[in-house]
Amino acid sequence: MAIARFPSFVIDCPDPKALAGFYGALLGWNERVDDGWVEIRPDDGSNCIAFQQVDGYQAPEWPGQAHPQQMHMDMVVEDLDHGEKEAISLGATKAETQPGTTFRVFLDPAGHPFCLCLS
């Protein structure tokens, strides 16, 4: 029996509003700001990603480990080329190292790695 429900992820960053705007646009989710805490959710409210400001934030270095990524998100897209174009237009950067063919690695505006995947 589960003892908890509805997990959400909280992502450290230098500018919560900006990073929530990036992921909100990428996923088509709605943004809510509450005293510096910013979260995004789909229309049905079934999921949540939150963003919090961290003083002295240091972006992960991917694929290096000087500042490990600690976590990253994988998101499914129908078409990698179209997904790449849209992600970059929203402020993502395509990572130099691309270790696979069924996914692509990007860095969000705060430097967190994320992948767009075919499945």
Side-chain angles (χ1 to χ4, degrees), residues 21-39:
F22 169 78
Y23 281 106
L26 190 66
L27 295 167
W29 289 10
N30 304 305
E31 181 180 315
R32 189 180 89 193
V33 180
D34 185 15
D35 193 32
W37 178 268
V38 185
E39 62 183 41

Side-chain angles (χ1 to χ4, degrees), residues 62-115:
W62 188 87
Q65 292 298 308
H67 298 283
Q69 64 179 331
Q70 300 178 10
M71 65 162 275
H72 72 275
M73 286 191 282
D74 288 346
M75 294 168 269
V76 175
V77 295
E78 295 289 324
D79 179 279
L80 286 174
D81 291 333
H82 179 72
E84 176 178 325
K85 179 181 172 189
E86 294 300 315
I88 289 171
S89 76
L90 293 170
T93 303
K94 187 175 180 181
E96 288 184 29
T97 301
Q98 295 294 323
T101 58
T102 60
F103 64 94
R104 293 192 187 148
V105 182
F106 299 88
L107 305 176
D108 71 22
H112 301 103
F114 70 92
C115 297

Side-chain angles (χ1 to χ4, degrees), residues 7-65:
S8 62
F9 293 94
V10 181
I11 299 176
D12 294 347
C13 59
D15 185 344
K17 179 106 172 84
L19 199 56
F22 169 78
Y23 281 106
L26 190 66
L27 295 167
W29 289 10
N30 304 305
E31 181 180 315
R32 189 180 89 193
V33 180
D34 185 15
D35 193 32
W37 178 268
V38 185
E39 62 183 41
I40 58 171
R41 294 178 182 268
D43 288 338
D44 67 5
S46 62
N47 295 291
C48 177
I49 302 171
F51 304 85
Q52 67 181 0
Q53 183 173 3
V54 172
D55 294 332
Y57 171 79
Q58 293 184 339
E61 292 181 14
W62 188 87
Q65 292 298 308

